[in-house]
Amino acid sequence: MTAQALAQVLASGLLMGLIYALIAVGLSLIFGLMDVVNFAHGEFLMTAMYVAFGLVFLTSLDPILVMPIVVAVLFGVGAVVYLGVVRFAMRAKANQGMVQIFATFGLATLLQGAAQYFLTPDYRSIGNSWLGGKTLELGGVFLPLPQIFGGLVSIAAFGGLYLLMSRTDFGKALEATREDQGAVALVGIDRNRVFTLGWGLGAALVGLAGAVLAIFYYIHPQVGATFGLIAYVTVALGGFGSVFGALVAGIIVGFVEALTAAILPPAMKSLGIYMLYLGVVFVRPSGLFGKL
């Protein structure tokens, strides 16, 4: 492999890794807040992509312009899912963990089935956008503009999330609830409200990722399963509940995927990701930055 080819692989891996991190951070945030793994996370991503596609189709606006609407819609979806499904699953008197798993898994099946029924299994894409099909060349390395934009959005999102967690009252309440759910009630923090907003925030982040992906990736009912599986591996690799771990692990996953695709047939590009994860599981089961 030449130096130029290696630079191309690393650049592509970095850009996709940042997008993977953005997809995964909402999942990590929710787990850190409530110890609940959202098995409908991939379907939230799929929903966001369809919302972006629908808004572009109805308004003829560029997908970049409809991103705030997609984020707002997914925030509402996350809040409604907590209030209508997860809240009741958490009240189960027996096998609470299994109830939560099957509740979110059932929601994933419902969302995917509804998309297939109402929107058909056909692959769709946003044909015209400001960034679509354009690339930037730097020293012989070609960088697609949609992926560059996605990487910048991911960095901005992580920066905004850091400021939210460290500089706002809600962020402090969120962090306190992550540390000790029982103690926060004693100081007047409404735990149920924090959970609702936390689920909304987690869904909004994956909504942002879905709006980015809709610019350059095909949209179909199974798209969430593909990226959802990568998100689970990313979160587990970085450490469940670690927001910083999701960022680092996402970048690692992007690099490993790109290198694997350069060495093996492209259809086997995910092999390196899962081999890396299995290696980390054997050495550090809690993940790189996990506390489990």
Side-chain angles (χ1 to χ4, degrees):
M1 183 182 295
T2 65
Q4 184 174 336
L6 180 60
Q8 180 70 63
V9 168
L10 294 178
S12 299
L14 174 62
L15 294 180
M16 282 307 301
L18 287 169
I19 295 174
Y20 290 155
L22 182 59
I23 295 172
V25 67
L27 182 66
S28 184
L29 181 70
I30 290 173
F31 182 87
L33 180 64
M34 301 173 57
D35 288 340
V36 173
V37 178
N38 177 20
F39 283 92
H41 190 75
E43 280 59 40
F44 281 12
L45 179 74
M46 177 266 294
T47 301
M49 295 177 74
Y50 271 113
V51 171
F53 176 83
L55 288 171
V56 171
F57 178 78
L58 292 174
T59 65
S60 298
L61 294 174
D62 190 85
I64 294 177
L65 298 179
V66 304
M67 280 184 181
I69 303 176
V70 177
V71 171
V73 170
L74 265 292
F75 182 93
V77 169
V80 168
V81 165
Y82 170 73
L83 293 173
V85 178
V86 178
R87 179 177 55 159
F88 297 102
M90 292 179 64
R91 295 176 181 175
K93 298 184 182 298
N95 297 321
Q96 187 181 98
M98 294 301 295
V99 172
Q100 294 167 3
I101 289 172
F102 284 113
T104 56
F105 184 78
L107 177 63
T109 304
L110 174 64
L111 290 174
Q112 189 175 129
Q116 289 180 332
Y117 181 80
F118 291 107
L119 303 172
T120 76
D122 295 341
Y123 281 51
R124 305 172 189 273
S125 63
I126 295 176
N128 297 315
S129 67
W130 294 339
L131 303 178
K134 298 177 181 178
T135 59
L136 175 67
E137 181 184 359
L138 294 174
V141 177
F142 295 89
L143 305 174
L145 287 186
Q147 280 89 326
I148 293 176
F149 175 74
L152 294 175
V153 168
S154 178
I155 293 172
F158 273 93
L161 185 60
Y162 170 77
L163 292 176
L164 177 70
M165 298 285 287
S166 62
R167 303 289 178 86
T168 68
D169 290 339
F170 167 69
K172 294 175 182 177
L174 192 67
E175 190 63 31
T177 306
R178 283 161 56 94
E179 292 295 329
D180 193 330
Q181 296 183 17
V184 293
L186 301 177
V187 296
I189 295 176
D190 186 345
R191 188 177 64 174
N192 193 56
R193 181 172 179 270
V194 172
F195 285 164
T196 303
L197 296 176
W199 267 80
L201 178 59
L205 289 167
V206 78
L208 181 60
V212 168
L213 279 175
I215 298 175
F216 63 91
Y217 202 87
Y218 286 110
I219 305 165
H220 56 94
Q222 286 78 37
V223 68
T226 301
F227 287 101
L229 189 58
I230 293 176
Y232 299 136
V233 171
T234 301
V235 170
L237 178 63
F240 276 98
S242 173
V243 172
F244 177 72
L247 175 60
V248 174
I251 294 173
I252 292 174
V253 166
F255 281 144
V256 171
E257 181 186 60
L259 287 170
T260 305
I263 298 170
L264 301 177
M268 301 179 66
K269 66 180 182 179
S270 297
L271 181 62
I273 299 173
Y274 303 124
M275 290 180 62
L276 171 66
Y277 172 63
L278 287 175
V280 172
V281 166
F282 288 129
V283 176
R284 185 176 171 81
S286 62
L288 298 176
F289 301 94
K291 300 179 181 178
L292 295 178

